[in-house]
Each structure stands twice: as structure tokens, then as C-alpha cells.
């Protein structure tokens, strides 16, 4: 029966080390798979949108304007969404105005 098996300290250490090795190798393989898939999907999306200009985007001047009429968490969410959609850094664009559409 399985419950009657006793392991020595060395065998127990070997089993634990084998388990940790398997887990970390699986995590590394998942990381590599995610990187490959993201590059393939990014390449496919890049080919589907030929209307984007190839010129580099100039960084906006570092001028800080604080608008207290909007919730800072909402503003951060909007900036993050634009950055993800445009696939660019936050420093590469400037939001001039935000108008709510009803």
C-alpha cells in the first residue's frame, strides 16, 4: 500500500527537488509560449493595420496641467486604455481634452 512507504531524508529531498524542478520548468515553458504567441499575434495585428504611419512619434513636451474636475482614478484608467490600444508609451502622446459622449 502507498501509506506504508517510508522515505529516507535523502529520498524525500530528492522527491521535493524533482517536484520543484518540474514546476519551474513548466512555468518557464509557459513563459516562452506566451512570448512566442504575443509576438505572432503582434505581427499579425501589425500587418492588418497598414494605415499607421512609419514615422516615429515625437514625445509631447513635459508640461504638467492638473485638471481637478475629473476623478484621478478615471483619468488614469483612460490613459492606460489609450496606451494599450495605441501600443505606445504614455510619454509618447498627450491628451488634450476628454468629452463624455451621451
Amino acid at each position: 500500500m502507498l501509506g506504508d512507504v517510508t522515505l529516507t531524508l535523502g529520498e524525500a529531498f530528492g522527491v521535493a527537488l524533482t517536484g520543484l524542478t518540474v514546476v519551474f520548468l513548466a512555468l518557464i515553458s509557459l513563459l516562452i509560449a506566451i512570448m512566442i504567441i504575443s509576438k505572432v499575434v503582434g505581427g499579425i495585428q501589425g500587418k492588418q493595420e497598414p494605415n499607421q504611419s512609419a514615422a516615429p512619434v515625437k514625445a509631447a513636451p513635459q508640461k504638467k496641467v492638473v485638471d481637478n474636475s475629473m476623478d484621478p482614478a478615471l483619468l488614469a484608467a483612460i490613459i492606460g486604455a489609450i496606451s494599450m490600444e495605441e501600443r505606445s508609451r504614455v510619454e509618447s502622446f498627450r491628451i488634450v481634452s476628454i468629452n463624455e459622449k451621451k
Side-chain angles (χ1 to χ4, degrees):
M1 207 184 224
L2 190 59
D4 294 335
V5 177
T6 57
L7 297 175
T8 64
L9 186 61
E11 291 172 338
F13 181 71
V15 169
L17 187 63
T18 302
L20 287 172
T21 303
V22 168
V23 167
F24 280 108
L25 286 177
L27 288 174
I28 290 170
S29 65
L30 281 173
L31 174 71
I32 292 170
I34 289 171
M35 289 173 56
I36 290 171
I37 290 171
S38 66
K39 287 190 187 271
V40 168
V41 169
I44 291 172
Q45 285 182 348
K47 291 178 184 176
Q48 289 178 350
E49 299 174 7
N51 58 354
Q52 293 180 350
S53 65
V57 178
K58 292 184 179 179
Q62 297 295 327
K63 185 167 76 171
K64 295 185 178 183
V65 177
V66 177
D67 184 13
N68 293 331
S69 65
M70 181 175 274
D71 181 28
L74 179 61
L75 183 61
I78 291 171
I79 291 172
I82 292 171
S83 175
M84 291 295 292
E85 180 66 28
E86 295 294 322
R87 294 185 182 266
S88 62
R89 297 180 56 89
V90 174
E91 296 85 19
S92 66
F93 63 89
R94 182 177 54 160
I95 298 175
V96 178
S97 66
I98 298 174
N99 297 322
E100 182 179 355
K101 300 284 182 170
K102 294 185 179 180

